[in-house]
């Protein structure tokens, strides 16, 4: 599968999110499902049965792990499943879960041998073993669901080399492969409950190995019961009731009135601010965590005047991240100075070191050096998807800054277009500059580098003609960066890999194909008396430890 297809699928995923996106918590509103099995109805959080009621506006499109690619679906799959590897809350470091150790990697970086846990059973009683895990990975690839490219692009073969030993051979070295195995959708499913074959999905059932079994799946609610044969520590609660609200307003009101124990995905920034104020008064709890979604401006080097590096550097200099965070984002974000977020220790704030914030004098000097003046201004169109209220405010704020501070040397023209058209046309070099978000597929710095900078076909003269940077709209081409990306993908030593990422970031801060803007925060709210509410690094609310 080509990188073009890969990125288009990512863009389509983001297009679903953007319609009701708020900075800190995002919502996927999927198409209505066909007739559903049942409905659990409303559940008052004050019941004393030990169950936790979670409110959300995120309606799942499917519960089939091989086709789940939206947070609403993946969050439920995550809580009903195990993976070979998982994350500690608040950390991007993986640890074994159904694997008993990190993989043994061959000298050429192509073969991964993974020892598996014994004594695990699926929700239907089927034993878990290497054959079941091999079936799961083959199904993930062969059924061709939305996230199938994640493994299809990477895995050459998978087989059971022992009852509890899995061997995976890759098409080419990929040091981040264990992190890819922590993706929620790469969870083992019962071979007796599922089948191989393109499009053979079961969107309304789930049969995995996790701490919860799916008891009921309705149009507006789900019921998860504790799996009594779970191999690990049992949940701290007696089960989960998920209430799907029709709007952020309904979610906000349901939480304020105590109808739900926990509210997560999705509230508007002003509602988050209101609930935070209530938490300071002791009315309830507000829990925030550093998110992994990044927002940025893409600069198309194939469009004038952005073909001049000085113009791109000038735009990087004039960005005022603290102002954006305060005026537009209600301080519900963190300024970002690298395309790799600070959740990874390889992130270097080089844009802050080189350009700072609101450095208008430096921006003017760069534009003047590039031959622009009041009489001959640099004119840049800045585009964004029409459905994004946040991006609209950011665009208008940036335009206001340029109008007030740049003495006419630079002019921003703000334009918008419907989301689906935007994501289709950005690959065609139609937009000089654009405001975008990035939702990672897996938590590794590679996922913030390779999809943005890699180019399989291109030249310095023409830019990228086929590759990640072409599909992202920057058309960036740098053969040295291509080589560095390949090197970090092969490098197994973390410190050596960190040095390579530093070199990549140093090149990006000079070439400026993108300007990082902010990194999101995630917010979840819980009633008094509810404890152990946690978010994992992939934005999933972790159900298992919650109790009241």
């Amino acid at each position: 599968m080509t990188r073009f297809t890969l990125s288009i699928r990512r863009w389509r995923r983001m297009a679903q999110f953007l319609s009701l996106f708020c900075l800190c918590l995002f919502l996927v509103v999927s198409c209505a499902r066909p007739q559903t099995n049942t409905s659990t109805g409303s559940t008052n959080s004050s019941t004393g049965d030990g169950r936790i009621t979670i409110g959300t506006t995120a309606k799942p499109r499917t519960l089939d792990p091989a086709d789940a690619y939206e947070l609403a679906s993946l969050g439920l799959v995550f809580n009903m499943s195990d993976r070979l590897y998982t994350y500690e809350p608040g950390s991007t470091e993986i640890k074994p879960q159904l694997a008993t150790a990190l993989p043994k990697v061959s000298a050429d970086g192509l073969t991964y041998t993974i020892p598996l846990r014994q004594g695990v059973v699926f929700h239907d009683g089927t034993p878990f073993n290497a054959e079941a895990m091999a079936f799961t990975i083959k199904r993930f690839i062969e059924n061709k669901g939305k996230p199938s490219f994640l493994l299809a692009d990477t895995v050459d073969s998978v087989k059971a080399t022992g009852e509890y030993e899995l061997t995976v051979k890759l098409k080419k070295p990929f040091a981040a492969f264990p992190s890819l195995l922590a993706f929620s959708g790469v969870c083992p499913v019962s071979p007796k409950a599922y089948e191989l074959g393109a499009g053979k999905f079961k969107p309304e059932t789930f049969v995995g190995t996790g701490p919860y079994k799916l008891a009921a799946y309705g149009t507006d609610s789900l019921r998860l019961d504790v799996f009594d044969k779970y191999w690990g520590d049992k949940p701290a609660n007696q089960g989960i009731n998920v209430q799907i609200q029709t709007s952020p307003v309904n979610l906000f009101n349901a939480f304020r009135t105590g109808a739900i124990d926990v509210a997560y995905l999705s509230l508007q920034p002003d509602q988050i601010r209101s609930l935070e104020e209530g938490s300071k008064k002791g009315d309830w709890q507000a829990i925030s965590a550093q998110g992994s979604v990044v927002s940025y401006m893409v600069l198309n080097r194939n469009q004038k005047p952005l073909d001049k590096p000085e113009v791109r550097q000038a735009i990087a200099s004039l960005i005022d991240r603290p102002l954006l965070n305060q005026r537009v984002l209600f301080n519900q974000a963190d300024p970002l100075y690298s395309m790799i977020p600070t959740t990874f220790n390889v992130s270097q704030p080089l844009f802050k070191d080189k350009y700072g914030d609101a450095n208008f004098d430096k921006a003017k000097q760069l534009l003047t050096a590039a031959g622009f003046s009041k009489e001959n201004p640099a004119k840049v169109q800045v585009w964004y998807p029409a459905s994004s209220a946040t991006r609209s405010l950011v665009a208008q704020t940036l335009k206001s800054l340029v109008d007030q501070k740049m003495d006419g040397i630079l002019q921003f023209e703000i334009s918008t277009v419907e989301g689906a058209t935007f994501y289709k046309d950005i690959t065609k070099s139609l937009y000089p500059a654009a405001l975008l978000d990035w939702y990672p597929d897996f938590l590794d710095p590679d996922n913030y580098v390779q999809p943005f900078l890699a180019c399989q076909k291109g030249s310095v003269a023409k830019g990228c003609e086929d590759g990640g940077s072409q599909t992202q709209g920057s058309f960036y081409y740098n053969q040295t960066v291509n080589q560095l990306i390949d090197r970090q993908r092969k490098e197994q030593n973390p410190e050596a890999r960190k040095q390579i990422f530093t070199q990549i970031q140093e090149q990006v801060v000079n070439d400026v194909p993108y300007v990082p803007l902010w990194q999101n925060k995630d917010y979840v709210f819980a009633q008094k008396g509810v404890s152990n509410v946690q978010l994992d690094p992939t934005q999933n609310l972790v159900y298992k430890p919650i109790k009241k």
Side-chain angles (χ1 to χ4, degrees):
M1 183 174 298
T2 65
R3 178 60 59 184
F4 175 85
T5 305
L6 185 157
S7 292
I8 284 298
R9 286 184 173 179
R10 283 181 175 145
W11 288 128
R12 286 173 179 167
R13 176 190 181 198
M14 286 193 290
Q16 287 177 302
F17 288 142
L18 283 166
S19 62
L20 287 178
F21 172 80
C22 73
L23 169 69
C24 312
L25 299 166
F26 63 88
L27 162 67
V28 178
V29 179
S30 302
C31 297
R33 294 182 295 106
Q35 177 119 11
T36 52
N37 296 334
T38 184
S39 176
T40 63
S42 297
T43 304
N44 192 297
S45 69
S46 63
T47 56
D49 58 2
R51 298 181 67 86
I52 301 297
T53 301
I54 294 172
T56 182
T57 57
K59 187 174 183 177
R61 177 183 58 84
T62 181
L63 295 181
D64 194 316
D67 195 34
Y69 199 34
E70 303 87 10
L71 191 60
S73 296
L74 290 172
L76 291 163
V77 169
F78 170 86
N79 280 290
M80 292 188 291
S81 72
D82 301 309
R83 279 75 52 206
L84 292 177
Y85 301 100
T86 190
Y87 301 96
E88 288 281 5
S91 170
T92 57
E93 296 298 318
I94 61 169
K95 65 173 184 177
Q97 190 174 38
L98 288 179
T100 58
L102 293 175
K104 292 181 180 178
V105 186
S106 62
D108 61 5
L110 292 175
T111 303
Y112 284 67
T113 304
I114 304 170
L116 303 182
R117 187 177 296 277
Q118 302 182 29
V120 178
V121 297
F122 290 98
H123 296 158
D124 62 358
T126 303
F128 165 78
N129 53 29
E131 289 287 353
M133 194 66 228
F135 166 83
T136 293
I137 292 177
K138 290 176 183 177
R139 182 176 184 270
F140 190 94
I141 296 170
E142 294 177 17
N143 285 36
K144 300 186 184 301
K146 287 191 173 184
S148 63
F149 69 87
L150 290 173
L151 295 184
D153 287 356
T154 306
V155 173
D156 181 58
S157 65
V158 56
K159 60 182 178 179
T161 47
E163 187 174 3
Y164 296 101
E165 181 183 88
L166 185 75
T167 299
V168 183
K169 186 175 181 180
L170 306 186
K171 295 177 179 178
K172 53 186 176 182
F174 186 34
F177 184 62
S179 295
L180 191 54
L181 294 176
F183 177 69
S184 295
V186 190
C187 60
V189 294
S190 170
K192 290 186 178 180
Y194 296 88
E195 57 183 329
L196 294 172
K200 292 184 177 180
F201 301 116
K202 292 193 172 182
E204 297 178 8
T205 61
F206 182 84
V207 185
T209 64
Y212 296 101
K213 293 178 64 173
L214 179 65
Y217 184 19
T219 56
D220 59 0
S221 57
L222 295 90
R223 180 183 174 95
L224 310 184
D225 289 347
V226 174
F227 179 37
D228 58 1
K229 295 181 180 179
Y230 184 59
W231 61 270
D233 295 334
K234 297 296 189 292
N237 51 68
Q238 298 302 310
I240 301 293
N241 302 319
V242 179
Q243 289 187 9
I244 301 173
Q245 305 289 334
T246 57
S247 70
V249 171
N250 288 348
L251 177 61
F252 177 73
N253 290 333
F255 180 78
R256 285 179 57 89
T257 58
I260 56 179
D261 295 309
V262 180
Y264 182 55
L265 291 180
S266 221
L267 293 163
Q268 300 294 344
D270 58 335
Q271 294 167 339
I272 292 172
R273 184 170 58 176
S274 174
L275 291 179
E276 279 194 301
E277 289 300 317
S279 72
K280 293 175 183 177
K281 300 175 184 176
D283 297 338
W284 42 69
Q285 304 172 70
I287 300 99
S288 65
Q290 182 65 72
S292 56
V293 176
V294 300
S295 293
Y296 59 96
M297 178 183 285
V298 57
L299 301 177
N300 182 350
R301 52 90 72 196
N302 284 350
Q303 286 264 16
K304 294 182 179 299
L306 296 170
D307 57 331
K308 295 178 179 290
E310 296 90 348
V311 177
R312 303 195 299 271
Q313 293 169 356
I315 292 174
S317 300
L318 65 85
I319 300 296
D320 190 341
R321 294 170 185 81
L323 179 68
L324 292 177
N325 196 20
Q326 179 182 8
R327 182 176 296 180
V328 179
L329 309 171
F330 297 102
N331 293 314
Q332 295 168 12
D334 289 318
L336 184 63
Y337 297 95
S338 169
M339 289 299 290
I340 301 175
T342 58
T343 37
F344 302 98
N345 65 4
V346 304
S347 178
Q348 300 286 333
L350 299 184
F351 273 80
K352 185 174 185 177
D353 298 340
K354 187 174 180 67
Y355 303 111
D357 284 284
N359 194 339
F360 301 109
D361 288 340
K362 183 181 181 74
K364 293 173 190 175
Q365 292 169 6
L366 286 163
L367 289 167
T368 301
F372 296 100
S373 63
K374 294 180 182 180
E375 296 73 29
N376 178 37
K379 299 179 180 180
V380 177
Q381 288 184 340
V382 180
W383 291 77
Y384 65 91
S387 57
S388 176
T390 299
R391 246 131 221 93
S392 175
L393 290 172
V394 170
Q396 295 301 329
T397 302
L398 291 176
K399 175 174 170 51
S400 178
L401 276 178
V402 169
D403 290 345
Q404 294 176 25
K405 302 292 187 179
M406 291 302 296
D407 299 336
I409 301 176
L410 175 67
Q411 296 176 7
F412 275 178
E413 177 186 334
I414 308 302
S415 302
T416 187
V417 67
E418 187 270 331
T421 301
F422 177 88
Y423 293 117
K424 175 170 60 74
D425 288 345
I426 195 170
T427 66
K428 302 175 182 177
S429 192
L430 296 186
Y431 307 129
L435 297 170
L436 294 168
D437 309 297
W438 180 251
Y439 299 88
D441 290 314
F442 57 95
L443 285 179
D444 185 89
D446 175 85
N447 201 228
Y448 297 85
V449 168
Q450 196 271 351
F452 288 90
L453 304 173
C455 183
Q456 285 77 39
K457 178 184 178 182
S459 64
V460 174
K462 294 183 178 180
C464 186
E465 298 175 74
D466 182 22
S469 66
Q470 173 252 330
T471 58
Q472 302 284 5
S474 74
F475 299 86
Y476 179 69
Y477 179 84
N478 186 303
Q479 188 55 35
T480 298
V481 171
N482 285 333
Q483 294 168 357
L484 290 170
I485 290 172
D486 288 342
R487 278 179 53 199
Q488 64 84 14
R489 288 195 143 203
K490 296 175 183 177
E491 181 59 64
Q492 294 289 334
N493 182 290
E495 282 304 313
R497 198 164 176 246
K498 182 178 180 179
Q499 293 176 11
I500 299 172
F501 280 121
T502 296
Q503 294 177 60
I504 293 173
Q505 291 171 91
E506 288 172 346
Q507 193 68 54
V508 169
V509 80
N510 288 322
D511 297 343
V512 198
Y514 310 93
V515 180
L517 299 177
W518 70 82
Q519 180 176 347
N520 77 318
K521 291 180 184 177
D522 298 319
Y523 289 83
V524 57
F525 297 92
Q527 303 292 352
K528 292 188 295 185
V530 177
S531 60
N532 297 332
V533 177
Q534 302 172 342
L535 296 172
D536 96 323
T538 57
Q539 296 179 290
N540 289 312
L541 176 64
V542 186
Y543 296 170
K544 186 179 170 185
I546 303 176
K547 64 180 180 179
K548 64 175 180 178

